[in-house]
Amino acid sequence: MATFDDAQIHQQIDALVQEERTLREKLGRGEITAAEERQRLQAAETTLDRLWDLLRRRDARREFGENPDDATEQSATVVEGYQQ
């Protein structure tokens, strides 16, 4: 992912949350299968986790007087491993 500012990250988060809603609606209308919904939701949720982690990293750098733009996005494997 390229370097984004906080507003751009929040825009991406908002878009992914809307995508989650849309997927659930499509499933309810029978436009996609449950398997398709699960697969696409999992991808969106993983991206959301990475974006929220990046925002936390940016906030931490800012809190300690460092440049938030130096925060790096972690891989999905790393971010998903936090929960274990």
Side-chain angles (χ1 to χ4, degrees), residues 9-73:
I9 296 169
H10 280 287
Q11 287 173 346
Q12 288 184 331
I13 289 169
D14 291 343
L16 287 165
V17 169
Q18 182 56 47
E19 181 179 344
E20 287 180 328
R21 287 185 191 124
T22 299
L23 288 170
R24 289 186 177 102
E25 291 169 0
K26 285 183 175 186
L27 177 65
R29 293 190 302 262
E31 295 173 11
I32 60 173
T33 66
E36 289 172 310
E37 183 213 28
R38 269 192 311 277
Q39 180 183 17
R40 292 171 63 186
L41 279 176
Q42 183 177 20
E45 289 168 357
T46 298
T47 302
L48 280 169
D49 289 346
R50 293 176 74 191
L51 291 169
W52 281 116
D53 179 70
L54 179 57
L55 279 175
R56 285 189 295 273
R57 289 173 171 283
R58 290 178 59 82
D59 287 343
R61 293 187 74 70
R62 197 175 287 116
E63 180 180 343
F64 290 98
E66 299 174 8
N67 184 351
D69 292 336
D70 291 339
T72 58
E73 183 180 358

